[in-house]
């Protein structure tokens, strides 16, 4: 997959997403490079693996270029050795809401108890139905980018946010 990624991020207020989910998988990801708003990420998701390159976000933090290529799990394990310190560990739950799918990430380790939901859109003004577990929008707040959470985990600053 390659092209423009348009997404909005939200904090999650309760665990009803677990009952509504049609799928879930464990994700482990590391960053080979994360500077200047650009990232090169390696990820395992269940039994599959991916190499992803993302460009800097627009001013609103909603859109950015993304290139993703599936790689073998063995290649991913080798690439993890090149990653900057700090691995993101989370479970991703997939929840349908209207014509969209919300990806709800439940973080572990130093990023627990953070739970965020993302919805990908075809354009920035596209309407969507918010499930009942959706809370405050954090689109564009760089503290909630996975590349930031790797360096500055939620346990350090999470108590300061309004939910």
């Amino acid at each position: 997959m390659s092209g423009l990624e348009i997404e909005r991020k939200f904090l999650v207020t309760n665990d009803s997403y677990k009952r509504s989910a049609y799928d879930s998988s464990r994700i482990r990801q590391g960053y080979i490079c994360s500077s200047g708003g650009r990232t090169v990420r390696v990820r395992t998701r269940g039994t599959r693996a991916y190499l992803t390159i993302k460009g800097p976000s627009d001013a609103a933090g909603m859109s950015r270029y993304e290139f993703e290529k599936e790689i073998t799990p063995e290649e991913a394990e080798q690439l993890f050795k090149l990653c900057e310190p700090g691995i993101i560990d989370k479970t991703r739950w997939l929840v349908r809401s209207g014509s969209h799918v919300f990806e709800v990430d439940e973080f572990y380790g130093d990023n627990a108890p953070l739970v965020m939901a993302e919805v990908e859109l075809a354009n920035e003004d596209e309407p969507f139905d918010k499930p009942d577990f959706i809370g405050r929008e954090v689109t564009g707040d760089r503290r909630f980018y996975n590349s930031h959470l790797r360096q500055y985990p939620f346990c350090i600053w999470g108590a300061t946010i309004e939910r």
Side-chain angles (χ1 to χ4, degrees):
M1 175 183 106
S2 295
L4 188 64
E5 173 189 60
I6 302 169
E7 67 183 13
R8 292 178 62 183
K9 290 185 176 201
F10 303 87
L11 295 178
V12 171
T13 59
N14 62 63
D15 69 355
S16 66
Y17 62 89
K18 290 181 181 182
R19 292 184 300 280
S20 303
Y22 66 87
D23 192 20
S24 68
S25 56
R26 192 71 176 248
I27 293 176
R28 185 171 69 118
Q29 67 189 41
Y31 289 84
I32 295 170
C33 177
S34 60
S35 64
R38 294 166 177 81
T39 60
V40 179
R41 174 186 78 200
V42 60
R43 169 187 279 177
T44 57
R45 182 174 180 179
T47 59
R48 301 174 84 175
Y50 305 88
L51 180 65
T52 306
I53 301 167
K54 292 188 177 194
S57 296
D58 67 2
M62 198 179 306
S63 302
R64 66 194 295 189
Y65 176 80
E66 177 182 80
F67 171 85
E68 185 169 78
K69 175 124 176 93
E70 188 164 0
I71 59 176
T72 68
E74 294 78 19
E75 289 169 327
E77 288 308 314
Q78 291 302 312
L79 289 173
F80 273 118
K81 295 175 185 175
L82 301 175
C83 288
E84 299 168 342
I87 296 292
I88 297 291
D89 183 19
K90 60 188 179 181
T91 293
R92 173 161 290 167
W93 305 80
L94 302 180
V95 179
R96 284 189 182 89
S97 181
S99 61
H100 294 89
V101 172
F102 279 78
E103 297 176 338
V104 180
D105 289 344
E106 177 183 6
F107 290 82
Y108 303 114
D110 287 342
N111 286 306
L114 178 61
V115 182
M116 283 191 302
E118 299 178 352
V119 62
E120 290 202 14
L121 305 171
N123 63 68
E124 291 186 5
D125 299 322
E126 182 180 354
F128 57 93
D129 298 324
K130 289 183 186 176
D132 67 349
F133 56 80
I134 294 297
R136 183 169 72 92
E137 185 164 6
V138 294
T139 302
D141 186 336
R142 298 192 188 289
R143 295 177 299 174
F144 293 97
Y145 289 12
N146 284 279
S147 57
H148 184 272
L149 291 169
R150 174 198 62 79
Q151 244 180 328
Y152 304 102
F154 190 70
C155 67
I156 294 172
W157 54 271
T160 66
I161 65 163
E162 180 185 323
R163 297 178 193 242

